[in-house]
């Protein structure tokens, strides 16, 4: 998969790319490219945003700047998915992550300050995704959230089996994962459920599925 991120802060992604699972699949299953709008802006002095028409606080990412950045990388009319990261987009869920992980090529556009000129989302993007119903200061963290979530679904990203019985997976019928315990078996009188110490894999599986079905996301 090729994943391109357009941002004003490409260096923000450095730590994520040094960590697993990304580090393990970069250059293999995942090709990540970071582009800075400032490098291709047609405006002087690296300008990428401007004051909003109609007045008001904050700066808005310009449509001509984003169009120039996309043209410089893809030429005109790219045919792959171009996603604006926006609190006004479709909410990111595990189902959306799985859908994106199947795409051969995805571009993420991030913005800062007041956000995108609306024409960017309308005319240059295929869709918009939000990582949750709250407002962050920029699209870099949302891009990294999406990048990490997608990367761990790609072949070779995780140790075999470790991504299968996770929260929201089909194996757990979309539910939450069962609880985990490790040594010590008792700490301050807090014990580990006997079934997990029984060595009976059938009982352990049944217990885990029951626990998973009984768990609900707190509101
Ligand atoms: C301060 S926000 C702009 C918020 C916008 N003025 C609004 O009220 O909807 C700046 C940028 O951060 C990113 N961003 C902030 N919150 C986000 C979220 N929940 N999901 C995805 N991107 C987000 C987007 O790229 C957004 O354009």
């Amino acid at each position: 998969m090729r994943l391109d991120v357009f941002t004003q802060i490409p260096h923000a992604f450095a730590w994520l790319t040094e960590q697993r699972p990304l580090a393990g699949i970069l250059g293999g299953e995942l090709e990540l490219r970071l582009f800075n709008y400032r490098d291709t802006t047609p405006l002087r002095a690296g300008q990428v945003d401007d004051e909003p028409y109609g007045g008001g606080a904050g700066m808005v990412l310009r449509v001509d700047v984003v169009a120039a950045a996309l043209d410089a990388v893809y030429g005109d009319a790219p045919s792959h998915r171009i996603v604006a990261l926006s609190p006004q987009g479709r909410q990111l869920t595990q189902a959306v992550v799985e859908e994106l992980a199947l795409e051969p090529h995805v571009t993420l556009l991030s913005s800062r300050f007041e956000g995108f000129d609306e024409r960017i989302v309308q005319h240059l993007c295929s869709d918009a995704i939000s990582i949750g119903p709250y407002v962050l200061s920029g699209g870099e963290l949302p891009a990294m959230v999406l990048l990490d979530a997608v990367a761990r679904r790609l072949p070779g990203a995780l140790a075999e089996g470790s991504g299968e019985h996770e929260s929201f997976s089909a194996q757990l019928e979309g539910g939450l994962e069962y609880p985990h315990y490790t040594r010590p078996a008792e700490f301050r009188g807090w014990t580990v459920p006997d079934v997990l110490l029984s060595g009976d894999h059938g009982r352990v599986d049944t217990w885990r599925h029951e626990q998973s079905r009984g768990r609900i996301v707190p509101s």
Side-chain angles (χ1 to χ4, degrees):
M1 177 183 194
R2 170 178 279 178
L3 220 151
D4 296 334
V5 182
F6 288 75
T7 167
Q8 292 166 63
I9 320 178
H11 61 266
F13 293 76
W15 72 270
L16 183 66
T17 58
E18 289 160 7
Q19 310 297 319
R20 289 191 156 273
L22 247 83
I25 56 168
L26 278 179
E29 284 294 332
L30 179 65
E31 184 189 356
L32 173 66
R33 303 189 301 175
L34 301 168
F35 299 104
N36 191 335
Y37 299 115
R38 294 187 197 286
D39 292 340
T40 49
T41 178
L43 309 173
R44 281 191 300 164
Q47 184 187 348
V48 296
D49 46 19
D50 225 319
E51 294 161 355
Y53 280 127
M59 299 292 272
V60 177
L61 185 62
R62 285 177 55 138
V63 63
D64 51 350
V65 167
V66 174
L70 294 175
D71 285 353
V73 178
Y74 308 124
D76 35 78
S79 55
H80 67 279
R81 199 155 161 186
I82 300 197
V83 178
L85 294 163
S86 165
Q88 302 180 22
R90 175 184 173 208
Q91 295 271 307
L92 184 65
T93 60
Q94 191 62 34
V96 176
V97 169
E98 305 291 342
E99 174 191 308
L100 288 167
L102 294 175
E103 299 275 354
H105 190 182
V106 174
T107 290
L108 304 178
L109 300 185
S110 69
S111 186
R112 295 194 73 75
F113 310 115
E114 276 312 306
F116 297 99
D117 181 307
E118 191 63 19
R119 292 167 292 183
I120 297 169
V121 183
Q122 272 180 353
H123 301 292
L124 300 179
C125 295
S126 48
D127 54 322
I129 290 180
S130 163
I131 64 158
Y134 43 80
V135 178
L136 297 167
S137 306
E140 287 71 28
L141 289 171
M144 285 190 260
V145 166
L146 208 149
L147 185 52
D148 185 82
V150 168
R152 61 202 311 289
R153 302 313 301 159
L154 298 180
L158 302 178
E160 191 146 339
S162 72
E164 284 169 19
H165 287 79
E166 285 193 317
S167 296
F168 317 116
S169 65
Q171 286 85 343
L172 296 179
E173 296 144 25
L176 299 180
E177 197 185 30
Y178 42 80
H180 293 288
Y181 298 86
T182 187
R183 294 182 184 88
E186 185 187 334
F187 180 71
R188 294 183 181 168
W190 307 328
T191 54
V192 171
D194 286 342
V195 61
L196 297 178
L197 307 174
S198 69
D200 182 336
H201 296 301
R203 278 182 60 216
V204 169
D205 279 353
T206 306
W207 180 86
R208 285 179 166 167
H209 273 95
E210 282 167 7
Q211 291 288 315
S212 173
R213 285 198 197 99
R215 290 199 148 189
I216 48 166
V217 180
S219 54

